[in-house]
Amino acid sequence: MNTTTKRTWFIAFVVSLGGFLFGFDAGIISGVMSYAGPQFDLNDVQTGWVVSSPSFSAMIAMLISGRLSDFIGRKKILIVVAFLYALSALLSAYAVGYDMLWIARMLGGIAFGAALILAPTYIAEISSAENRGKLVSMQQLNIVLGFFAAFLCNYYLNELNTSGESFLSDETVWRWMLGLELIPALLYFVLMFFVPNSPRWLFLKGKVDAAKNILVKLHGNSKAEEEAKAIATSIENNQNKEKVELKELLKPALRFIFLVGLTLGILQQITGINAIYFYATSIFKQTGIGTNAAFASGVLLSTIAVIFTIISMVIIDKVGRRPLLLVGIAGIAISLLCCTYSFSNATYKLTEEKINILDTSINEKLTPFLNKAYDNDVQFKREMQEALGTKVYAKNDGAILEAAIEMNSILVLIGILGFVACFAFSLGPVMWVMLSEIFPTKYRGLAIGVIGFVNSISSWLIQQIFPWELSNLGNAMTFLIFGLIGVVGFFILLKVLPETKGKSLEQLETEFVQ
């Protein structure tokens, strides 16, 4: 790898650290809520809001950050993003109640909303056609590395807490989980000062010499000259057009690629990926494997995500975007339907032997349910909550489910890991690669911002309603809904999805925009 290539990879890595922080925050909250939820006695709506509030504020950030970056530059906004990540981590760790916790997390949401839009945009603008897929995919790699780091921290801190031999307690362990995010946030803030401005943005601002100097450092003299000519031609073709407005995204010349991008943006979220990531510990508890095993399974889940994201980065520029997306969405649908089948066959019964191994403070209250059989998780959990109270049940739900449930938990684990693997080499990274490619330079910031906004709405809705779904619809019905969405999504993508592999941004602009 030559010096210019190394420099490009380093810059892409630094910029995409915002993705690492998003992944860390998303992964860490699944462990946090196992402790903070019972401590603050949160109901389903409050639990959903603490988890989903960052996605809610991210919607606003996604809508305005693309356009704002067209005026003041990608780099300056990403520096602010890093600062907000650090502030959010600090305030979350010191939250004294429900309100402070969700407000602090919303600050982090503003940060990752902007980062998820601007990082792939920036990376696409410093990349050549030959390596753009790999470099933009680094955003998703950093996201899943963030998940891995978070689940590993959750597992380690949970083990320290449950051992009873450390300074941690149920009241403080979740604060350490949240506070650890401060370390990568500060690193991101410092490293962003070593990143240049986007050369395409500098061209748009008339700073041609500065843009050419950056291109030379990134690609070498000959490639830089080629890239500079292509960028200048693209901008010249658009400079006589009026100011970009939202309604222009629906004009005939852009309508097809906008609808393709919108479909990808919605489908990425409504198949339930953030329900899996944000509530991983809770989902694994539903299988009855126990709280400690649920934390351990989160580490396995994030490891699978890392492995298959790397596979995607290696093959995306060889295989192409369309095959990866189609194979991935098909695998997602099959995996979710496997989970549905297993949960639909689960039964629940507390025997005397199983009740006796539970905490002595609750087993007497569960005696009336001795040998009572349930074939519905909703009814079982509801009666347990009524007997124990929501706060006590929330603190002991992993142990109670482990004692009562009879099901094929291995099939659920395979289904969830299959889902994560298929997502990690398809909808996860490839959606952002395609969004960074299919729109002309003039429209890119606005178009990705709008699609990112819709993507974030979808993510927020899934995260907000997921606890309610589990409590009121049950595990099987919840996963069935996600699985059927995956089936429908496969046939939609089969019909409309184009291929963008190996083409420069300017070539794609000529091909897609009339």
Side-chain angles (χ1 to χ4, degrees):
M1 187 182 290
N2 60 43
T3 304
T4 56
T5 305
K6 288 180 181 178
R7 184 178 288 111
T8 305
W9 276 89
F10 171 75
I11 292 170
F13 172 76
V14 170
V15 171
S16 62
L17 279 176
F20 177 91
L21 286 160
F22 164 70
F24 191 92
D25 184 83
I28 213 75
I29 198 64
S30 70
V32 167
M33 296 312 294
S34 291
Y35 293 103
Q39 182 172 328
F40 295 142
D41 195 18
L42 304 183
N43 59 34
D44 287 340
V45 173
Q46 290 172 323
T47 298
W49 181 240
V50 169
V51 172
S52 69
S53 55
S55 293
F56 187 84
S57 56
M59 291 189 289
I60 308 302
M62 285 181 165
L63 191 61
I64 66 174
S65 59
R67 175 65 71 89
L68 190 61
S69 73
D70 290 339
F71 289 104
I72 66 175
R74 294 27 165 162
K75 176 180 175 176
K76 289 179 181 177
I77 296 180
L78 287 171
I79 290 173
V80 174
V81 160
F83 174 78
L84 287 176
Y85 268 128
L87 182 62
S88 173
L90 196 62
L91 294 177
S92 297
Y94 283 98
V96 295
Y98 163 67
D99 289 326
M100 184 174 175
L101 184 57
W102 68 257
I103 291 171
R105 284 180 52 72
M106 286 190 84
L107 289 175
I110 294 171
F112 77 66
L116 290 180
I117 291 298
L118 296 183
T121 300
Y122 176 95
I123 295 170
E125 291 178 349
I126 66 165
S127 308
S128 62
E130 293 77 20
N131 62 10
R132 189 175 58 246
K134 296 185 184 70
L135 289 172
V136 175
S137 295
M138 192 177 290
Q139 165 90 338
Q140 186 65 22
L141 175 62
N142 262 312
I143 290 174
V144 295
L145 286 172
F147 280 123
F148 176 77
F151 283 118
L152 199 60
C153 288
N154 277 347
Y155 173 72
Y156 180 66
L157 291 173
N158 180 68
E159 285 289 304
L160 282 178
N161 179 50
T162 55
S163 71
E165 299 176 358
S166 73
F167 62 94
L168 297 173
S169 67
D170 287 358
E171 288 70 37
T172 61
V173 62
W174 63 271
R175 299 183 185 277
W176 282 88
M177 290 174 178
L178 289 169
L180 284 173
E181 189 176 342
L182 183 64
I183 298 172
L186 291 175
L187 178 65
Y188 184 35
F189 180 77
V190 172
L191 290 177
M192 273 306 304
F193 286 95
F194 295 92
V195 167
N197 278 304
S198 160
R200 278 183 169 81
W201 178 79
L202 290 171
F203 264 102
L204 283 170
K205 292 301 175 183
K207 300 177 181 179
V208 176
D209 290 339
K212 287 182 177 179
N213 286 336
I214 291 172
L215 286 172
V216 169
K217 291 177 181 178
L218 292 175
H219 305 300
N221 288 311
S222 59
K223 186 67 177 177
E225 185 177 347
E226 180 184 327
E227 290 284 320
K229 287 180 180 178
I231 295 169
T233 301
S234 173
I235 293 172
E236 185 180 349
N237 290 339
N238 286 294
Q239 67 182 171
N240 295 324
K241 296 182 180 179
E242 298 178 1
K243 179 183 175 182
V244 178
E245 296 181 1
L246 187 60
K247 63 182 181 182
E248 289 187 56
L249 297 177
L250 293 175
K251 66 183 184 180
L254 291 172
R255 189 179 300 154
F256 171 72
I257 56 172
F258 180 67
L259 291 177
V260 169
L262 199 60
T263 300
L264 288 171
I266 295 172
L267 195 59
Q268 188 198 55
Q269 294 300 330
I270 63 172
T271 46
I273 186 61
N274 280 341
I276 300 296
Y277 279 143
F278 283 67
Y279 295 98
T281 304
S282 296
I283 292 170
F284 286 124
K285 281 183 185 179
Q286 302 297 313
T287 67
I289 62 175
T291 299
N292 289 345
F295 274 93
S297 296
V299 177
L300 179 59
L301 178 150
S302 56
T303 303
I304 293 293
V306 171
I307 291 170
F308 280 86
T309 300
I310 293 172
I311 290 173
S312 175
M313 290 180 65
V314 171
I315 67 175
I316 187 171
D317 288 317
K318 298 176 183 176
V319 175
R321 287 57 160 156
R322 180 181 163 90
L324 286 180
L325 283 168
L326 291 177
V327 172
I329 190 65
I332 285 170
I334 293 169
S335 299
L336 290 168
L337 293 176
C338 283
C339 293
T340 301
Y341 175 78
S342 187
F343 276 124
S344 66
N345 288 288
T347 59
Y348 305 81
K349 184 168 72 172
L350 287 168
T351 63
E352 184 174 359
E353 179 186 358
K354 293 296 181 66
I355 287 180
N356 287 336
I357 66 174
L358 296 173
D359 193 295
T360 54
S361 64
I362 65 172
N363 55 18
E364 287 186 9
K365 295 180 181 179
L366 297 179
T367 303
F369 303 96
L370 188 64
N371 294 321
K372 184 177 179 180
Y374 301 81
D375 59 6
N376 184 303
D377 62 299
V378 174
Q379 184 184 359
F380 174 76
K381 288 183 284 188
R382 190 167 293 160
E383 292 190 14
M384 295 300 104
Q385 287 176 340
E386 290 173 357
L388 300 174
T390 55
K391 186 172 184 177
V392 174
Y393 175 74
K395 193 171 183 178
N396 295 277
D397 62 340
I400 294 171
L401 286 168
E402 183 179 9
I405 198 169
E406 287 290 335
M407 70 173 297
N408 188 344
S409 57
I410 298 298
L411 185 58
V412 173
L413 181 62
I414 292 171
I416 291 176
L417 295 180
F419 173 35
V420 169
C422 291
F423 182 89
F425 73 74
S426 61
L427 278 174
V430 181
M431 184 205 81
W432 293 110
V433 172
M434 291 201 71
L435 291 186
S436 69
E437 291 176 329
I438 60 178
F439 294 104
T441 301
K442 180 178 178 181
Y443 302 100
R444 189 174 298 125
L446 177 62
I448 296 180
V450 172
I451 292 170
F453 176 73
V454 176
N455 176 272
S456 195
I457 288 178
S458 305
S459 175
W460 171 73
L461 283 172
I462 293 298
Q463 295 168 49
Q464 179 65 45
I465 68 174
F466 189 70
W468 179 91
E469 285 183 298
L470 290 183
S471 294
N472 294 275
L473 301 180
N475 302 321
M477 181 59 69
T478 300
F479 278 90
L480 177 62
I481 291 170
F482 289 143
L484 293 178
I485 289 171
V487 172
V488 173
F490 171 80
F491 287 105
I492 292 175
L493 293 185
L494 186 65
K495 179 74 174 176
V496 304
L497 199 63
E499 181 58 81
T500 58
K501 177 184 72 169
K503 301 172 183 176
S504 71
L505 297 180
E506 287 66 40
Q507 285 177 315
L508 291 170
E509 180 175 338
T510 302
E511 182 176 333
F512 289 135
V513 182
Q514 303 301 320

